[in-house]
Amino acid sequence: MIRMALKLTLVLGVLTLATAAALVRPAAGQDLTDVNAIVERANLAAYYAGDDGSARVRMTITDAQGRSRTRDFAILRRDVADGGDQDYAVLFSRPADLRNTVFLVKKHVDADDDRWLYLPGLDLVNRIAAGDKRTSFVGSHFVYEDVSGRGLEEDTHELVETTATHYVVRNTPRDEGADFAYWTVWIDKSTFLPTRMDYVDGTDEVFRRIEAVEVDVVDGYPTVTTMRVSDLRSGGETVSEFSDVRYDLGIPEDVFTERTLRNPPRRWLSGR
Amino acid sequence: MSARGAMRGLALVASWAAFATPLQAQFSDVELHGFVDFGAAARVVSDPLQPDDLLLSEVRFQLDLAHYGERAEFAFKGDFTSDGVSDGVEVDIRQAMVSLRASDWLDVRAGRQVLTWGTGDLVFLNDLFPKDFVSFFVGRDDEYLKAPATALRLTFYSALANLDVVATPVFEPDRSITGERLSFFDPGTGGLVRAGSVPLAQPTRPPREVGNGELALRAFRTVSGWELALYAYAGFTKQPLAVDESGAPTYSRLASYGASARGALAGGIAHAEAALYDGSDDVGDAPTVPNSQLRGVVGYTRELVRNFNVGLQYYAEHTLDHERLLAASPAPEWEPSEIRHVVTSRLTYRMLQQTLTASLFAFASPNDGDAHLRPALSYDWSDGFAVTAGANVMLGDAHTFFGQLSDATNVYLRGRYSF
């Protein structure tokens, strides 16, 4: 009995190891079929590259009339655990009325995120309700959830197609109050980066699309360096360009505290 | 050259400096920003005591310079305002400070700076840093509610808790309502007054001596997402609520102790804060010195539906030894209620990709029967240019906190170009 249990544990262990190995390096030409493994890998590739990271971001927001606005900021990220909690700090430099505004997020996988906003003109540290994660991020066509990731458990996942280059996964929200019926993601088979996401409404019409326009390999990590989100109903779009991307900087935990709001840690910021 | 001429000259030089790009190139490591802000506010009804129906008619130029060094930052923010109501040019240095990350456990900010702490929304308990109530009621941007102080701020960080120490060597009172532009209620005459209409003396400030400054402390830490803080203050009442031997308004000694908590609750943010204002009138029977008070606020804010945020607060101000205050007062009918209850609400709705914001902030006291409503509509025309239209509506009897300002009820329009 004991031997059998031991054997079973060993088998399970080997299986787990095999899965882990597959996660790291899938055999060439061998497609994954487990949709949960695919979306977990995509989540890691898109949001958890390295243990931490830093980048400069320029967002160009264009409305349907062609008028454009610009948001410039530096972003810092630190993973508490791969696939788990994360800390983000965003320091704005443009437009002028947002300059030195700092946005701090403690992302929790099992609870509401903690979010703070520092307004330098008033020297005010404001707490922001986690509330609706699908609210526009600083007036762009991106929503907060696009910036820090949507919880995997919020959708059911279904592998609808495996093409020569992509896994196509349909994600249906468990919460019926979502503003989309489902979203379809195209995941690159070699990098596991999502390269296209289509948000579909109740009439089966795609009303919002996010695309990876440019992907570069930075410090060994495939990285989306230009990303576009299009509002297919109104015609507006936002393009995010990432520059001076750096990974594995060893950013300490205490950078993501109230101290950073008043006193941004410039040594960790890209492009200064 | 008159003082006013000199100021105008200074303002011109500053404007020139701002637009002189060669100068900017020379000091390429100095970031240069600022804005030009146009503001006008008009009374809805005339104030029989005030000659001017305009409460605000100004062009404000803010010059913002910053240098970011390895360890230190230098920041300057100066406002140069051509004021059509006072018919003068005013210079207000809002920031002139050096900010040092002195060590892993110490940050230092020294110089002129705006300081804010506490959890209330437009309700301040443990934040005894200077405010500008004139700006608040005449339609300037919300950030002008906070006035600068010349202070030294030390922030110590440790695993146990963090500690802020703010020393203001020369007492910096609020910029309070003096009867210019805004008439106010004078308990001495039992009616509304404006500057110069009664022999109202200028408030007497405490002599500039060591020991007449202000010291504010805050110990804070975050425990599982809840921000907890303890506060202490030693200084003076920020408004001239006492009367000195010559009958002039003055600032009496004040010590304050308090605590606050803020954290996430049911998809929103909850906050609570309390403060004990320990005045220098120990038993509450000195009519020339304000009594001690206990103040408290609780509030909750959350997004109700997408882009629509709602915040509610309940605030109470309990004047201690109230019976003795009434017994000793020459005008007991004008003394504050024993407990002043105030509810506030903040409604914010963002539209058109967050470029258009409609908001309403309201204060209302159910027991004193006064209120202040602040509706506003603002539109970001482009990254640089924003316009705001709004109103300040004050309601209530003449002796109430907001009611005394009812003749200053106004509508305003502002435009700002930032660079």
Side-chain angles (χ1 to χ4, degrees):
Chain A
M1 193 69 187
I2 291 168
R3 278 174 80 118
M4 215 170 128
L6 196 65
K7 215 168 170 179
L8 195 64
T9 313
L10 268 175
V11 170
L12 280 176
V14 169
L15 271 178
T16 313
L17 274 178
T19 315
L23 280 175
V24 177
R25 205 171 285 111
Q30 209 172 339
D31 289 336
L32 295 180
T33 50
D34 178 359
V35 70
N36 290 319
I38 294 168
V39 296
E40 271 168 36
R41 287 207 52 185
N43 185 41
L44 291 179
Y47 293 103
Y48 293 88
D51 292 330
D52 60 32
S54 159
R56 284 208 71 75
V57 184
R58 164 159 291 187
M59 273 187 178
T60 307
I61 307 162
T62 309
D63 68 13
Q65 285 76 44
R67 291 175 298 194
S68 72
R69 295 159 201 273
T70 306
R71 305 278 178 268
D72 280 352
F73 53 90
I75 187 163
L76 288 180
R77 166 183 59 87
R78 178 184 166 276
D79 299 345
V80 177
D82 261 355
D85 289 1
Q86 288 181 314
D87 298 335
Y88 285 90
V90 175
L91 171 68
F92 289 90
S93 51
R94 212 176 131 182
D97 64 348
L98 269 180
R99 200 173 60 95
N100 289 339
T101 296
V102 184
F103 181 57
L104 181 69
V105 183
K106 298 235 164 219
K107 173 181 154 186
H108 304 297
V109 170
D110 299 328
D112 276 346
D113 299 348
D114 290 315
R115 310 198 286 181
W116 288 265
L117 191 69
Y118 176 67
L119 305 174
L122 283 161
D123 181 43
L124 181 69
V125 175
N126 228 338
R127 191 77 181 259
I128 310 289
D132 194 338
K133 293 175 180 181
R134 300 201 59 78
T135 298
S136 159
F137 177 73
V138 291
S140 74
H141 296 87
F142 287 100
V143 298
Y144 281 96
E145 206 170 63
D146 298 327
V147 178
S148 58
R150 177 173 169 88
L152 294 179
E153 73 294 340
E154 290 182 52
D155 301 303
T156 55
H157 313 283
E158 182 195 349
L159 182 61
V160 290
E161 196 186 350
T162 302
T163 70
T165 53
H166 288 84
Y167 297 111
V168 184
V169 176
R170 176 193 284 216
N171 310 276
T172 309
R174 294 180 200 274
D175 173 14
E176 305 214 331
D179 66 338
F180 49 89
Y182 64 91
W183 58 288
T184 306
V185 57
W186 280 256
I187 297 167
D188 186 294
K189 278 161 75 174
S190 61
T191 63
F192 279 87
L193 284 176
T195 57
R196 177 173 152 196
M197 289 174 251
D198 279 359
Y199 290 80
V200 180
D201 64 17
T203 64
D204 226 22
E205 197 167 333
V206 180
F207 66 95
R208 181 170 188 263
R209 175 171 294 158
I210 304 179
E211 295 156 284
V213 177
E214 207 174 309
V215 176
D216 291 321
V217 177
V218 180
D219 296 345
Y221 299 102
T223 304
V224 178
T225 51
T226 306
M227 197 186 283
R228 178 195 295 126
V229 54
S230 313
D231 180 338
L232 302 174
R233 279 186 193 137
S234 79
E237 65 166 37
T238 297
V239 174
S240 271
E241 294 160 285
F242 296 76
S243 59
D244 197 14
V245 180
R246 291 182 272 162
Y247 291 109
D248 295 318
L249 299 160
I251 306 172
E253 184 182 358
D254 67 8
V255 161
F256 300 91
T257 59
E258 187 178 335
R259 185 177 195 178
T260 280
L261 294 172
R262 280 204 174 81
N263 221 331
R266 299 189 189 272
R267 64 175 287 212
W268 300 111
L269 298 172
S270 285
R272 277 243 175 221
Chain B
M1 196 155 132
S2 68
R4 185 182 292 177
M7 292 302 187
R8 280 187 206 267
L10 195 60
L12 275 176
V13 170
S15 341
W16 171 79
F19 296 108
T21 39
L23 198 70
Q24 197 176 349
Q26 201 176 339
F27 298 99
S28 56
D29 56 350
V30 175
E31 285 190 13
L32 194 156
H33 293 275
F35 60 72
V36 183
D37 188 296
F38 310 85
R43 291 175 205 278
V44 173
V45 289
S46 287
D47 180 342
L49 297 175
Q50 298 284 349
D52 209 333
D53 279 347
L54 278 178
L55 278 166
L56 189 70
S57 164
E58 65 183 29
V59 179
R60 179 179 293 264
F61 172 70
Q62 182 172 91
L63 179 66
D64 180 334
L65 301 171
H67 168 75
Y68 303 103
E70 270 297 294
R71 278 197 112 139
E73 293 177 22
F74 301 88
F76 172 87
K77 243 184 230 178
D79 279 22
F80 305 87
T81 308
S82 170
D83 187 330
V85 175
S86 69
D87 197 23
V89 171
E90 276 154 33
V91 178
D92 187 13
I93 308 299
R94 294 187 64 80
Q95 198 176 60
M97 65 165 187
V98 56
S99 187
L100 285 169
R101 199 171 255 260
S103 79
D104 281 350
W105 48 269
L106 176 64
D107 285 349
V108 178
R109 275 190 172 186
R112 199 146 178 84
Q113 53 190 305
V114 170
L115 293 142
T116 300
W117 65 36
T119 60
D121 185 4
L122 297 184
V123 171
F124 302 95
L125 289 84
N126 292 293
D127 178 338
L128 285 150
F129 302 115
K131 325 276 184 312
D132 180 345
F133 287 104
V134 177
S135 289
F136 188 60
F137 289 110
V138 300
R140 289 197 185 107
D141 191 281
D142 278 359
E143 75 177 83
Y144 287 95
L145 172 58
K146 297 295 289 192
T150 302
L152 174 69
R153 175 184 197 153
L154 305 175
T155 309
F156 299 90
Y157 299 92
S158 78
L160 181 69
N162 306 316
L163 178 69
D164 264 318
V165 178
V166 179
T168 310
V170 178
F171 170 62
E172 185 76 52
D174 286 347
R175 298 176 181 181
S176 44
I177 291 158
T178 58
E180 279 175 41
R181 292 181 206 227
L182 303 173
S183 306
F184 67 96
F185 183 79
D186 172 39
T189 56
L192 291 168
V193 293
R194 69 178 176 94
S197 68
V198 289
L200 273 178
Q202 273 293 105
T204 316
R205 294 199 186 192
R208 295 189 176 202
E209 290 166 6
V210 178
N212 279 352
E214 297 170 90
L215 185 67
L217 306 174
R218 176 177 69 137
F220 60 105
R221 73 170 293 179
T222 302
V223 181
S224 40
W226 283 83
E227 299 159 75
L228 309 175
L230 294 172
Y231 308 85
Y233 170 84
F236 297 86
T237 60
K238 305 298 285 191
Q239 305 255 352
L241 301 171
V243 180
D244 71 8
E245 301 80 8
S246 70
T250 189
Y251 307 89
S252 56
R253 290 251 173 221
L254 177 72
S256 162
Y257 314 95
S260 72
R262 181 167 67 177
L265 189 74
I269 301 295
H271 67 264
E273 185 169 343
L276 172 65
Y277 282 19
D278 185 4
S280 44
D281 178 9
D282 288 338
V283 287
D285 61 355
T288 57
V289 179
N291 278 29
S292 296
Q293 284 189 331
L294 193 58
R295 298 183 175 197
V297 67
V298 289
Y300 185 69
T301 177
R302 72 164 292 168
E303 190 169 57
L304 214 58
V305 294
R306 187 169 319 159
N307 294 317
F308 181 55
N309 276 76
V310 176
L312 295 171
Q313 293 183 116
Y314 165 71
Y315 168 73
E317 213 172 86
H318 183 184
T319 300
L320 304 178
D321 304 310
H322 195 256
E323 274 177 33
R324 277 199 284 261
L325 171 74
L326 294 188
S329 173
E333 66 273 37
W334 309 135
E335 292 296 345
S337 312
E338 181 170 11
I339 301 179
R340 173 174 168 78
H341 301 276
V342 179
V343 288
T344 79
S345 72
R346 178 189 285 278
L347 310 177
T348 312
Y349 186 51
R350 290 178 215 280
M351 292 154 276
L352 304 178
Q353 211 67 37
Q354 295 185 359
T355 54
L356 181 65
T357 304
S359 65
L360 172 67
F361 195 98
F363 298 87
S365 170
N367 67 320
D368 286 349
D370 61 333
H372 176 204
L373 312 178
R374 300 168 63 83
L377 193 63
S378 66
Y379 180 62
D380 289 344
W381 204 273
S382 66
D383 277 344
F385 189 62
V387 287
T388 303
N392 284 286
V393 179
M394 282 73 82
L395 304 164
D397 290 341
H399 70 278
T400 56
F401 187 76
F402 294 118
Q404 62 185 319
L405 297 169
S406 56
D407 283 346
T409 290
N410 61 79
V411 290
Y412 65 83
L413 182 66
R414 286 197 314 261
R416 178 182 287 195
Y417 176 74
S418 312
F419 59 89

